[in-house]
């Protein structure tokens, strides 16, 4: 179909049909513009540098737990520009994401057939260290780990003894967790089992506070961990903070206890007798003592240096939770094995916790965010409804008109054989532009006869349609060149 034909069809339409088509086009354009405006991505990258796959998974999980709206991409996440600074601070306080650790597969991905053996061994060792660090994260309250492996080395000279393989492990405990002796033993066994030829006795474990190999305060850590876990299970995680301090006796002491138990009614009996005679002017005094025997029990107790002298326990409770401090005191005393006779002390105090990064999303803000996400769809639906209400009738009329014209054009060849009356009856209910299009296909005698049957007013309208000139636009472009493609 040529441009000339399209313009002829457009000019042949009624005015109300043209208005309906233009209104529908303007409505669709406005809907497309609104959709493009509201659906544009105004978010910014959260991190200035690209993230690895494991780091991106950590960030996605943390933001989802905080109920924060974000758009994940292949190496970053996009968030609202106004929330970027606050989210970076919250993630930094939460320790997310961890530093990327290169595993064995990543470490050996860049080696080739000509790589020296020394470099190959170093890359394999670095990959093994990364695998161990990833495996230690999350075990027994371990937040992060760093592993350094020193491989075994044989003696260079004949009189030099070989050096066994060793490993150093630095642990970072998760907030509120204490690394116990069992956790440290599990770390040593885990690292020793992952490194060929490494003995667990040659694995040194330290944390951010110092060495953990022979920690005399392990009893305090155990008590603190047991009490913290009990309070977390009873009152919720993050509602209490437990600190335990164990005082130890640095000197060795010995105690001696002697007890005497009588064999009969009493161990001893004393009797004093005094007499005075007036006649003889004499005075006598006699004292008698009777010891019936006893059973002597002597007990000696030796107290070695480093024994527990006193345990001090402090429990800090979030005052905003309005917990019963007496119940917490009872639970803490039972879970920690408090011994008042030894001088142990327990202090439970309510303090308002400072939680700038742990505030839960407000319901109003959450509802506002959901509504903001739904605005493009709502606006598009409203525009579509208005466009349908405005354009429904014109579009229906246009579709019916096109169908009638199509049917009449198909029947036009058969009308050449009909009489003028039959053609007039077929075109009687059609508008002027449709009748003009059909009459133009008829022969001149038949067309003249058909026009004579119309009333004068309708005949003039049809004749005007038949005599309408072409559009100046078509004349300027050249109808002949458009038809022939020149």
């Amino acid at each position: 179909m040529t441009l000339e034909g399209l313009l002829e069809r457009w000019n042949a339409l009624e005015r109300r049909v043209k208005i309906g088509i233009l209104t529908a086009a303007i409505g669709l354009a406005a809907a497309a513009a609104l959709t493009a405006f509201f659906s544009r991505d105004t978010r910014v990258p959260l991190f200035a540098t690209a993230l690895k796959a494991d780091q991106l998974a950590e960030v996605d999980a943390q933001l989802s737990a905080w109920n924060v709206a974000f758009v994940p991409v292949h190496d970053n996440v996009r968030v609202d520009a106004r929330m970027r600074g606050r989210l970076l601070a919250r993630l930094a306080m939460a320790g997310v994401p961890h530093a990327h650790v290169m595993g064995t597969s990543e470490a050996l991905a860049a080696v080739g057939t000509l790589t020296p053996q020394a470099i190959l061994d170093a890359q394999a060792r670095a990959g093994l260290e990364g695998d161990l660090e990833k495996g230690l994260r999350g075990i027994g309250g371990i937040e992060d780990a760093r592993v350094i492996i020193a491989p075994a080395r044989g003696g260079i000279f004949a009189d030099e003894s070989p050096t066994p393989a060793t490993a150093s492990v630095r642990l970072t405990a998760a907030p509120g967790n204490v690394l116990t002796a069992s956790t440290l033993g599990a770390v040593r066994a885990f690292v020793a089992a992952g490194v060929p030829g490494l003995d667990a006795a040659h694995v040194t474990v330290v944390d951010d506070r110092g060495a953990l190999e022979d920690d005399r305060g392990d009893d305090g850590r155990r008590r603190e961990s047991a009490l913290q876990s009990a309070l977390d299970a009873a009152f919720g995680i993050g509602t209490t903070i437990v600190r335990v301090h164990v005082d130890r006796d640095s000197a060795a002491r010995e105690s001696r206890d002697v007890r005497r138990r009588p064999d009969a009614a009493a161990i001893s009996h004393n009797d004093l007798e005094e007499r005075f005679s007036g006649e003889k002017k004499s005075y006598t005094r006699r004292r008698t003592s009777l010891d019936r025997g006893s059973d002597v029990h002597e007990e000696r107790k030796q107290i070695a240096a480093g024994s527990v002298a006193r345990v001090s326990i402090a429990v800090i409770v979030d005052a905003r939770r309005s917990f019963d401090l007496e119940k917490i005191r009872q639970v803490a005393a039972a879970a920690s094995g408090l011994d008042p006779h030894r001088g142990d002390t327990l202090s439970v105090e309510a303090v308002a916790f400072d939680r700038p990064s742990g505030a839960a999303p407000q319901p109003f803000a959450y509802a506002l965010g959901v509504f903001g996400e739904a605005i493009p769809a709502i606006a598009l639906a409203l525009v579509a409804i208005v466009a349908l209400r405005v354009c429904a009738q014109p579009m229906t009329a246009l579709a019916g008109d096109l169908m009638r014209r199509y049917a009449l054009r198909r029947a036009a060849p058969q009308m050449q054989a009909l009489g003028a009356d039959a053609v007039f009856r077929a075109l009687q209910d059609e508008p002027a532009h449709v009748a003009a299009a059909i009459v133009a296909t008829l022969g001149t005698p038949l067309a003249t006869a058909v026009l004579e049957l119309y009333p004068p007013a309708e005949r003039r309208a049809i004749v005007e349609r038949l005599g309408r000139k072409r559009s100046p636009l078509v004349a300027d472009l050249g109808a002949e060149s458009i038809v022939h493609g020149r």
Side-chain angles (χ1 to χ4, degrees):
M1 182 176 293
T2 63
L3 179 60
E4 182 182 2
L6 291 175
L7 291 175
E8 287 181 356
R9 289 194 175 187
W10 173 259
N11 294 329
L13 297 176
E14 293 184 359
R15 183 178 180 181
R16 60 186 181 86
V17 177
K18 292 181 180 180
I19 294 175
I21 295 175
L22 290 176
T23 304
I26 294 173
L28 291 176
L34 288 175
T35 303
F37 177 77
F38 287 108
S39 62
R40 72 187 192 282
D41 189 6
T42 59
R43 298 179 174 90
V44 297
L46 180 58
F47 295 93
T49 58
L51 300 178
K52 299 295 184 179
D54 53 344
Q55 296 175 318
L56 187 60
E58 285 187 75
V59 174
D60 289 353
Q62 189 62 64
L63 294 181
S64 300
W66 288 341
N67 198 20
V68 175
F70 67 94
V71 177
V73 292
H74 68 285
D75 60 352
N76 212 325
V77 292
R78 300 178 65 86
V79 297
D80 190 353
R82 295 169 297 181
M83 300 178 59
R84 182 174 181 268
R86 184 174 62 180
L87 288 178
L88 287 175
R90 293 182 65 182
L91 290 173
M93 294 179 65
V96 176
H98 289 95
H100 174 64
V101 176
M102 181 173 56
T104 302
S105 58
E106 187 177 353
L108 298 179
V111 300
T113 56
L114 300 180
T115 303
Q117 185 63 35
I119 298 179
L120 184 62
D121 294 341
Q123 291 292 96
R125 186 167 63 254
L128 179 58
E129 291 173 353
D131 293 338
L132 293 174
E133 291 170 9
K134 292 180 181 179
L136 288 176
R137 289 177 180 175
I139 297 179
I142 298 175
E143 179 72 17
D144 200 0
R146 183 73 176 94
V147 179
I148 301 175
I149 300 174
R153 185 181 61 181
I156 300 177
F157 302 100
D159 58 346
E160 185 179 357
S161 60
T163 303
T166 59
S168 300
V169 183
R170 177 181 175 180
L171 303 177
T172 301
N177 288 272
V178 177
L179 302 180
T180 60
S182 59
T183 302
L184 301 181
V187 170
R188 296 189 189 95
F190 181 83
V191 175
V195 180
L198 178 61
D199 189 358
H202 296 155
V203 178
T204 304
V205 183
V206 298
D207 68 351
D208 294 336
R209 293 179 292 182
L212 298 176
E213 288 296 322
D214 187 16
D215 193 356
R216 299 296 298 272
D218 183 67
D219 182 61
R221 295 174 181 270
R222 179 182 57 79
R223 293 171 183 267
E224 186 174 309
S225 178
L227 180 54
Q228 184 70 69
S229 61
L231 293 179
D232 289 344
F235 302 99
I237 298 176
T239 59
T240 59
I241 299 175
V242 178
R243 292 294 180 265
V244 177
H245 177 71
V246 178
D247 291 329
R248 298 182 179 275
D249 194 348
S250 59
R253 294 183 295 108
E254 180 180 355
S255 63
R256 180 171 177 269
D257 185 14
V258 179
R259 298 179 183 179
R260 298 182 63 191
R261 186 175 57 186
D263 292 336
I267 297 177
S268 62
H269 174 71
N270 297 322
D271 188 13
L272 178 61
E273 182 182 358
E274 295 181 343
R275 292 182 181 182
F276 176 76
S277 176
E279 296 178 357
K280 298 181 180 182
K281 306 294 183 178
S282 63
Y283 170 80
T284 59
R285 179 180 180 182
R286 185 178 60 182
R287 181 187 299 274
T288 60
S289 177
L290 178 62
D291 190 348
R292 296 188 178 90
S294 63
D295 184 11
V296 179
H297 176 72
E298 181 178 351
E299 180 180 355
R300 293 188 179 185
K301 183 185 297 183
Q302 291 184 350
I303 302 176
S307 60
V308 177
R310 186 180 62 178
V311 178
S312 301
I313 303 174
V315 180
I316 306 173
V317 185
D318 191 354
R320 290 176 291 187
R321 299 302 184 94
S322 301
F323 287 143
D324 189 349
L325 299 184
E326 185 59 30
K327 289 184 178 180
I328 295 179
R329 184 175 287 103
Q330 295 175 3
V331 172
S336 61
L338 197 69
D339 186 3
H341 301 287
R342 187 174 52 191
D344 296 351
T345 60
L346 172 62
S347 175
V348 180
E349 299 293 339
V351 178
F353 286 4
D354 183 15
R355 299 181 183 274
S357 63
Q362 299 296 326
F364 176 75
Y366 180 76
L368 185 62
V370 173
F371 180 73
E373 294 290 337
I375 284 180
I378 296 174
L380 182 61
L382 292 177
V383 171
I385 292 173
V386 173
L388 287 176
R389 289 183 62 87
V390 173
C391 305
Q393 186 175 359
M395 295 299 293
T396 304
L398 176 62
D401 186 17
L402 293 176
M403 292 181 64
R404 288 195 301 270
R405 290 188 62 179
Y406 178 74
L408 290 174
R409 283 184 179 275
R410 291 191 60 183
Q414 288 79 14
M415 290 184 181
Q416 299 288 345
L418 299 178
D421 294 338
V423 175
F424 175 73
R425 287 193 299 271
L427 300 177
Q428 190 172 4
D429 297 329
E430 300 298 332
H433 64 280
V434 177
I438 301 302
V439 170
T441 63
L442 302 177
T444 303
L446 181 58
T448 304
V450 171
L451 291 175
E452 290 295 333
L453 297 177
Y454 278 95
E458 295 183 10
R459 184 167 57 248
R460 284 194 300 271
I462 296 175
V463 172
E464 289 178 359
R465 297 281 183 175
L466 291 172
R468 181 170 294 176
K469 296 181 180 181
R470 292 176 178 176
S471 171
L473 177 62
V474 177
D476 294 340
L477 292 175
E480 184 177 356
S481 63
I482 295 176
V483 171
H484 296 285
R486 294 182 296 181

